[in-house]
Amino acid sequence: GGSSVHDGNANRKRRRGVLKLLTGGGGNDDGSLDFNSMVSSRVAIPVNSDVSDDDDDDDKGGRVAKSATSSDRPPDRMAHISVYAPRAFARLRRMFGIAESDYLRSMMKHFVSFQSNSKGAARAGLFFFFTRDGAYMIKTIKGDEAKTVSKMLPKYFTFMRRNAKRSLLTRFCGMYSVRIADARSLGEGDDDGDGGDGKEKEHVFIVMNAVFPAEASKFISERFDLKGSTVGRECSRKEREEKGPNAVLKDLDLAKEVSADAAEQFISDEPTYGINVGGRRKEALLAQLRRDVGLLEECQVMDYSLLVGVVRNKDDPKSILNRQQRPHSPLPFGLLNLREDSPIERIISSPIGKRIHGIVDTALWWVLPNSVPYYGAGVCGVDGGALSIIPGRRAGHRAVYYMGIIDFLQPWTWKKVMENEMKGILGYNTKAISCVSPKDYAARFLDFIDAHVT
């Protein structure tokens, strides 16, 4: 009995230590910011490498990594955890409307692993996780990317102070370094991790918001990853067949579709092809994208993408006013679908009635799109900004678009310059490949979005 009580107290103490580290001591200090500061501590953690493949418990189709803090056996490894710029990230979380208690609750639950579509990430052995509630994505980043985060953090912080409510840039919520070594092989009293025979492998993790809701795979019908590049930017037929709506479509897929649809539409008509959000929303979207991309160009990064998820309404909008009421039809359209012989139906059949009916019906659909399994399922765990969820149309159907700019940590280095030169020598169009200077990348990215969003 005494041993179990001691173990329980030790686990609680260990858990409090990890919680404190995750927020850099809580992040409530109003002192001056130091973007290069780091808080470090060594924490004894029982390592449990068991991984569950229980599909019923995994909304993202990944694998559940069991929490290391839940085991009662003696710790066999030591984790050296470092928190980058804790005050700056704590303030960023507040800008993004994230309560510290909610952040900790998400971070201390089991994680769901996720296999990236990026071949480069797979080759580099990078890891991707979602928090159990789907609010955050956690990924390991390479050394040059970690340096990029630290270098751009002051500008990113200043930018978000003015643009946090509308920016489409990924919300950076924290960055952590974790080094793990066998406790048995570390000398006692070795606090810096350099002594003893223990071999430590360092992983740097960055925590960011998830662009899509937790259960997005249940209702998102299309996904696009758009860079503005056209060389090799096409989803393979094999991926489409194997993954269906979870396949990630790319620039050429959208460009071919837009080219075909635009040719069939009259020039005098308002464009409705591609990612169709309407003129006013497109203007607002492009204005913010120019601001966002301006920051990325200033920070000398490239190779980023606009990630787009499409939720398409299953019903044909042309039949809304003509359908008969179904006793248990899905909300919200079913709420206002009336029998043709009803007195109210005759009233709303007038021109004014049809207009009012359409406005109310549309408003209800945005609250409860009937492609979403239940109320609230379409809400992201972290607010990605006012333009991160935009209503529109897709292929003649009402639709909702989830959007966010991701993967903007690739710096423009001499290696990238050489890659651009080598591909030019090999005959590639150096204006169309992904690897171009930040200035050229930004201009091409914006031109592509402008041409394919209507």
Side-chain angles (χ1 to χ4, degrees):
S3 175
S4 61
V5 171
H6 179 270
D7 290 343
N9 290 335
N11 283 336
R12 282 192 292 272
K13 185 176 180 181
R14 185 183 301 117
R15 184 180 180 87
R16 284 195 297 270
V18 174
L19 288 172
K20 188 175 181 180
L21 273 174
L22 287 174
T23 58
N28 295 319
D29 192 333
D30 291 327
S32 60
L33 293 175
D34 183 356
F35 294 101
N36 296 314
S37 66
M38 184 178 292
V39 177
S40 301
S41 180
R42 184 173 293 281
V43 181
I45 297 181
V47 176
N48 183 346
S49 60
D50 294 339
V51 177
S52 170
D53 286 312
D54 186 355
D55 291 335
D56 294 334
D57 251 359
D58 183 0
D59 296 328
K60 289 199 173 283
R63 306 170 74 198
V64 179
K66 296 300 185 182
S67 171
T69 60
S70 62
S71 174
D72 290 330
R73 60 187 174 83
D76 58 4
R77 295 195 181 187
M78 297 292 290
H80 187 100
I81 304 175
S82 299
V83 185
Y84 291 82
R87 290 180 183 174
F89 280 113
R91 290 195 187 181
L92 280 170
R93 290 193 292 270
R94 288 202 293 272
M95 289 182 201
F96 303 148
I98 301 170
E100 290 296 273
S101 58
D102 292 338
Y103 181 69
L104 292 174
R105 190 179 301 112
S106 296
M107 294 295 292
M108 293 306 292
K109 291 181 179 180
H110 299 166
F111 296 152
V112 179
S113 67
F114 171 76
Q115 185 175 0
S116 171
N117 287 286
S118 169
K119 295 179 181 178
R123 285 195 299 267
L126 302 180
F127 305 105
F128 295 78
F129 299 92
F130 284 95
T131 53
R132 200 74 185 92
D133 57 7
Y136 301 93
M137 180 180 180
I138 304 168
K139 62 180 287 190
T140 53
I141 56 177
K142 297 176 289 186
D144 58 344
E145 292 178 323
K147 292 177 182 177
T148 300
V149 175
S150 297
K151 186 177 179 180
M152 74 182 298
L153 188 57
K155 293 179 180 178
Y156 177 86
F157 182 91
T158 301
F159 180 84
M160 282 301 183
R161 290 179 70 174
R162 298 191 300 267
N163 293 275
K165 292 184 178 181
R166 294 183 68 82
S167 175
L168 285 149
L169 294 174
T170 296
R171 271 71 176 137
F172 288 151
C173 301
M175 187 164 75
Y176 309 91
S177 167
V178 179
R179 287 183 289 150
I180 298 178
D182 289 337
R184 291 183 295 270
S185 62
L186 290 171
E188 290 186 9
D190 180 17
D191 294 328
D192 58 9
D194 295 328
D197 298 323
K199 294 182 178 179
E200 293 190 348
K201 184 173 183 181
E202 182 179 22
H203 295 285
V204 179
F205 296 85
I206 190 160
V207 181
M208 63 198 78
N209 68 303
V211 176
F212 299 154
E215 297 185 58
S217 60
K218 295 182 179 179
F219 53 84
I220 284 186
S221 57
E222 291 176 297
R223 301 160 190 258
F224 290 94
D225 181 278
L226 306 174
K227 294 175 180 281
S229 169
T230 53
V231 175
R233 297 288 297 164
E234 188 171 13
C235 182
S236 68
R237 177 177 293 182
K238 181 180 179 182
E239 182 180 347
R240 288 174 182 257
E241 292 174 351
E242 291 179 352
K243 296 186 177 181
N246 291 323
V248 180
L249 306 176
K250 298 183 175 68
D251 304 73
L252 283 175
D253 300 300
L254 182 60
K256 290 178 181 178
E257 172 202 315
V258 167
S259 178
D261 292 346
E264 297 179 0
Q265 190 166 358
F266 291 107
I267 298 177
S268 59
D269 293 342
E270 182 179 353
T272 57
Y273 47 79
I275 297 173
N276 181 216
V277 297
R280 289 186 180 179
R281 295 190 188 102
K282 176 183 176 178
E283 184 178 342
L285 176 65
L286 284 175
Q288 186 57 51
L289 284 176
R290 291 187 188 100
R291 287 189 283 270
D292 291 342
V293 169
L295 172 69
L296 302 184
E297 183 182 343
E298 183 182 350
C299 293
Q300 286 293 286
V301 294
M302 34 76 71
D303 210 26
Y304 44 85
S305 307
L306 179 66
L307 184 63
V308 181
V310 184
V311 182
R312 192 185 303 182
N313 175 33
K314 297 174 183 177
D315 289 318
D316 183 353
K318 295 179 180 178
S319 66
I320 293 173
L321 290 175
N322 297 326
R323 287 180 305 186
Q324 292 187 346
Q325 183 180 14
R326 296 187 295 270
H328 302 289
S329 59
L331 288 171
F333 291 131
L335 191 64
L336 290 181
N337 288 340
L338 305 169
R339 291 188 177 88
E340 294 180 358
D341 58 350
S342 68
I344 298 178
E345 173 65 23
R346 288 194 292 271
I347 294 174
I348 67 171
S349 294
S350 65
I352 296 178
K354 285 182 179 180
R355 188 171 183 180
I356 294 174
H357 180 279
I359 292 173
V360 175
D361 203 34
T362 301
L364 286 170
W365 187 83
W366 298 132
V367 175
L368 285 172
N370 59 6
S371 295
V372 176
Y374 59 88
Y375 181 72
V379 179
C380 295
V382 175
D383 182 10
L387 297 170
S388 64
I389 305 177
I390 303 179
R393 303 182 78 84
R394 177 74 176 144
H397 295 264
R398 289 178 180 173
V400 171
Y401 293 96
Y402 291 87
M403 297 186 184
I405 299 177
I406 63 170
D407 297 340
F408 48 85
L409 295 181
Q410 176 58 58
W412 180 241
T413 62
W414 66 268
K415 290 183 179 180
K416 289 296 179 181
V417 174
M418 291 300 297
E419 181 183 339
N420 179 279
E421 295 292 337
M422 287 300 298
K423 287 188 174 181
I425 293 172
L426 293 173
Y428 288 96
N429 181 354
T430 54
K431 298 294 184 181
I433 61 176
S434 181
C435 183
V436 295
S437 71
K439 182 178 180 180
D440 291 339
Y441 194 99
R444 187 183 63 187
F445 175 84
L446 290 171
D447 286 344
F448 184 89
I449 301 302
D450 187 16
H452 296 83
V453 174
T454 58

